[in-house]
Amino acid sequence: MSKAEIPVGLKELLQGYAVEVLRHRPANLAEFAVQHFTSVLEKQKQNQRIKKRSKPAKKGVTFETNSNKPKKDEEEEEKEEDTVKCTTGKYNRRVSVCAEAYNPDDDEDGDSEPRVVHPKTDEQRRRLQDACKDILLFKTLEQEQFSEVLDGMFEVLVKPQEHIIDQGDDGDNFYVIEKGVYDILVLKDGVNLCVGKYNNKGSFGELALMYNTPRAATIIATEEGALWGLDRATFHRLIVKNNAKKRRMYETFIESVPLLNSLELSERMKIVDVLGARVFKDGECIITQGDKADCFYIVESGEVKILIKSKTKAGQQDNTEVEVARCSRGQYFGELALVTNKPRAASVYAVGETKCLVIDVRAFERLLGPCMDIMKRNISQYEDQLVALFGSSVDLKH
Ligand code: 1OR
Ligand code: 1OR
């Protein structure tokens, strides 16, 4: 019998797994192995795709390189050494400025990729900053990375019925909405179903870029609108790299959140990828009763108090607020309006400086489905409390 041969690459593969186990010390080795090897496989596929895809930049974007731009003073020249300036903001969605996908493990400090800068007028920059101020994916970036993101964004004007993204395509850009209404369509049993809308705010197109998967939905403008695009390579270099850091930062905390216990490790990590972090000052209002809801919160540190406006005997609301509950580390709030599709049922205020992890409504619907039963059970308890407090029978779920 011939001696058993060790397949090429086996040693490295197992060593890689062992190193990650030592770095992350996961509670469940088998679950962690599934996640680790899935990510190795995705990277292999990604590298194959890059090899196939690497073509020179096409029309629609021109570069101003050091050789063809007018001479500047030395200091300025030095600052721009690693910068590629794109002199047109013209929208061409099939062209990514730097088509290479970014793998954070290949490039620890990310300095080898040239910076993409789309010059903007002051007025454009102001509009861009305004559109980006509540984008959760940007909320855990350092100031420096955030300004690189802003530099790399380019304006995209869209017409009614324009398809910004088609389900099944490869991902090219990530988009932040400045204005306009956009339908989200998902193919189900051969039929395109409208599963939601973006209404003048938010962002989309992150999934295909983060996980190297085909576009998961079709996005169509229903009216004239304006978007800010960020090309795939810059998204990888700044956002995906930051996600690796976020996973390390939040892994332990997220594992300790009781609500998320029933999720697989990979599902919990997908939550970490899209969450933002916000710090609130003592007394600051986080949620206002009656407002439209667009996100969900988990307390990371500090405490929040939940107040509802009391009702008069005639059942009308007066303006006195009554404290009904508090949430501290690991507890969540702001799910009720998302589950019921109703306005916020209570106001929430920070008690002392409080840090919350924030998940937007779309990610909530996509990723927290498995936790829905627990949330609904807890909502039934709110109803009992409401009856006890105000003596009326209410159904918060409908
Ligand atoms: P993408 O790069 O896959 C389409 O391109 C984008 O649509 C996607 O990133 C998200 O940013 C956005 N499921 C998947 N993608 C969604 C969804 C969604 N909603 C918005 N996008 N669902 C709807 C959740 C309300 C789940 C449908 C079953
Ligand atoms: P939301 O999206 O409606 C306010 O925004 C949040 O406060 C709400 O989701 C819940 O997460 C949270 N009644 C209503 N909302 C409550 C309650 C509550 N407690 C926490 N929230 N009651 C207190 C039950 C202990 C019943 C009130 C009498």
Side-chain angles (χ1 to χ4, degrees), residues 9 17-18 36 38 47 74 96 133 188 191 214 221 228 230 252 267-268 290 300 303 305 323 327-328 353 371 385 388:
Y17 171 62
H36 173 77
T38 307
N47 288 340
E74 261 175 30
S96 64
K133 72 177 187 313
K188 220 175 182 184
V191 185
W228 290 93
L230 185 69
T252 321
E267 292 172 317
R268 285 197 293 264
E300 193 197 344
E303 195 182 15
K305 57 181 178 187
E323 184 175 329
C327 295
S328 53
E353 189 175 273
C371 314
Q385 289 259 350

Side-chain angles (χ1 to χ4, degrees), residues 161-332:
Q161 299 315 313
E162 190 167 330
H163 286 224
I164 319 301
I165 285 179
D166 283 303
Q167 187 171 350
D169 277 0
D170 277 351
D172 47 8
N173 301 316
F174 166 68
Y175 297 96
V176 168
I177 299 168
E178 181 186 322
K179 64 173 194 259
V181 176
Y182 303 83
D183 280 341
I184 309 166
L185 292 102
V186 174
L187 205 60
K188 220 175 182 184
D189 304 325
V191 185
N192 252 330
L193 290 180
C194 183
V195 295
K197 271 181 197 311
Y198 293 100
N199 193 347
N200 284 290
K201 61 178 176 178
S203 62
F204 54 80
E206 75 292 357
L207 297 179
L209 305 189
M210 269 181 194
Y211 305 116
N212 253 297
T213 47
R215 293 295 200 186
T218 295
I219 308 287
I220 305 179
T222 65
E223 57 183 41
E224 262 187 28
L227 300 166
W228 290 93
L230 185 69
D231 71 90
R232 180 189 185 100
T234 311
F235 184 90
H236 267 249
R237 192 166 59 80
L238 298 166
I239 309 291
V240 177
K241 184 177 176 192
N242 188 55
N243 275 357
K245 197 172 105 194
K246 253 160 78 176
R247 283 185 177 212
R248 285 195 291 273
M249 262 170 76
Y250 293 115
E251 189 176 13
T252 321
F253 171 62
I254 283 290
E255 266 172 36
S256 75
V257 174
L259 173 72
L260 308 177
N261 265 347
S262 58
L263 298 179
E264 305 274 324
L265 176 65
S266 62
E267 292 172 317
R268 285 197 293 264
M269 288 304 108
K270 283 190 173 158
I271 294 179
V272 173
D273 288 342
V274 293
L275 58 75
R278 288 195 58 189
V279 177
F280 298 95
K281 290 199 264 329
D282 181 31
E284 194 174 338
C285 182
I286 305 171
I287 284 181
T288 305
Q289 185 172 343
D291 273 5
K292 213 173 156 297
D294 55 12
C295 50
F296 164 79
Y297 301 81
I298 298 172
V299 182
E300 193 197 344
S301 62
E303 195 182 15
V304 300
K305 57 181 178 187
I306 295 165
L307 282 80
I308 65 172
K309 286 189 183 132
S310 57
K311 292 196 175 161
T312 61
K313 285 224 172 78
Q316 277 164 342
Q317 229 164 50
D318 68 26
N319 277 332
T320 338
E321 290 187 316
V322 182
E323 184 175 329
V324 293
R326 288 200 174 208
C327 295
S328 53
R329 184 172 164 84
Q331 293 181 308
Y332 64 88

